[in-house]
Amino acid sequence: MAGVVLENVSRLFPGGKAAVRELNLEVRDREFLVLVGPSGCGKSTTLRLIAGLEKPSKGRVRIGSRVVNDVPPQARDVAMVFQNYALYPHLTVARNLAFGLELREGTGGWAWLWRWALPARQRAVWAERQAAVDLRVRQTADTLGIADLLGRLPGQLSGGEKQRAALGRAIVRQAAVTLFDEPLSNLDAKLRIEMRRELKQLHQRLAATMVLVTHDQVEALTLGQRVAVMDAGQIQQVGTPREVYDRPANRFVAGFIGTPGMNFIEGELTTADGANVFRRGGWSIPLDGRPLARHASRGPVVLGVRAEDLRIEPRRSGTGLGLVKGPVNGIVRSVELLGDSATATVEMDAATCGGEASHAEHKSEACCVVVRIEPRGNVQPGDCVSVGVNPGRVHLFDSDSGKNWCDATDS
Ligand code: ATP
């Protein structure tokens, strides 16, 4: 096995389009890293740069201790699983799995056709090598639960079975690095969850270096030991699933990771009694529980808070949860039931609630927040409510750069 390092890698396509820009990424030896980002952000290009299917316009790609910029794909010891399976339609599952190994061992193609014409000693060598290939194919098929499908053609398989066969073809080679390009996106929701679990177990069993690309942040959080979030050809943050969820480096990561995405509220950073406070109109949230970066400056900022860090209470004129200075009142605009949980969309600064203008300064630009609520509770659209905030869980983003000022390393 081997780690992978991309150093200042850029990939420019004809016409000047930079699919990947000055990208730095380290995949540790035997790690399962998931590369996640929106469509067109450069994920597949990054994977293809590792595989050798694209050449960097700038920078270096290392696999293990070797710089592989000029090494062709077949000599990189990398296996790849594609979204569309890419199985040979005229070969059985067994032959699909064996194909790459036979090429490497020199037992396939002409060697196979002419094996009977070989002198006895060479034929014995051929038979020994082929037996090793067949054994590896059987062991891989057992690992993936497809031993009974080895005699079938790809056209005789379901989507999930094809996906397993494609995985088998990649892992049978025991390559230094295995790459997966959106391998689960053609599967239905139930099968995807099942395959996610299997992929994770497979990584634990094989302890191999794996890089998987997906646009699905749930898949990224559930599969990856670490997650690299990408946007516009650049890595925005690399961290464990918990780190990218709880401590997003910037507003993009905060909005992309998590369902529902983080709530963003525009306001200003100011001080009251010597302590940092976020203020919007008539209400403010103390930030004394959140260390801010040294360069955090007073003025316009964006507050970020997750749905589960907000709480709905009956409307009152005191302080929401005892944490927010001034009631943050609003009207429930909609309730969405998700089965085991539910969310309510609350229009804050709602001037019409209770017939009173809550926050005169902002009544023309009401903001909506999504709040996690009890699925069997009695919150209804049209309810006038107070929203409490857990100030220890809020984030503050620079209104220009989007950088997160909370939990910053230079704080
Ligand atoms: P998706 O999730 O939709 O597959 P992605 O994040 O994998 O997207 P890439 O396929 O890496 O994105 O593409 C990144 C950008 O580079 C896109 O804007 C794409 O149009 C562009 N691109 C990719 N391949 C080429 C090419 N051969 N020539 C020109 N532009 C390309």
Side-chain angles (χ1 to χ4, degrees), residues 114 163 178 197 216 219 258 300 370 374 386:
W114 292 101
Q163 190 55 64
T178 306
R197 207 173 301 130
D216 179 344
E219 201 164 291
V370 177
E374 262 296 305
S386 274

Side-chain angles (χ1 to χ4, degrees), residues 6 11 13 18-21 23 25 33-51 54 80 83 179-183 185 211-217 219-220 227-235 252 256:
L6 289 100
R11 176 67 177 115
F13 284 113
V20 169
R21 286 187 291 135
L23 184 135
L25 178 68
L33 182 124
V34 177
L35 202 52
V36 66
S39 183
C41 72
K43 308 178 295 288
S44 298
T45 304
T46 305
L47 210 64
R48 291 167 62 81
L49 283 161
I50 300 172
E54 297 286 352
M80 192 151 170
Q83 179 181 353
L179 308 173
F180 304 87
D181 194 355
E182 305 252 11
S185 53
V211 185
L212 182 141
V213 154
T214 179
H215 60 267
D216 179 344
Q217 50 91 24
E219 201 164 291
V227 174
V229 186
M230 213 175 159
D231 186 40
Q234 290 185 313
I235 300 288
F252 174 81
F256 189 77

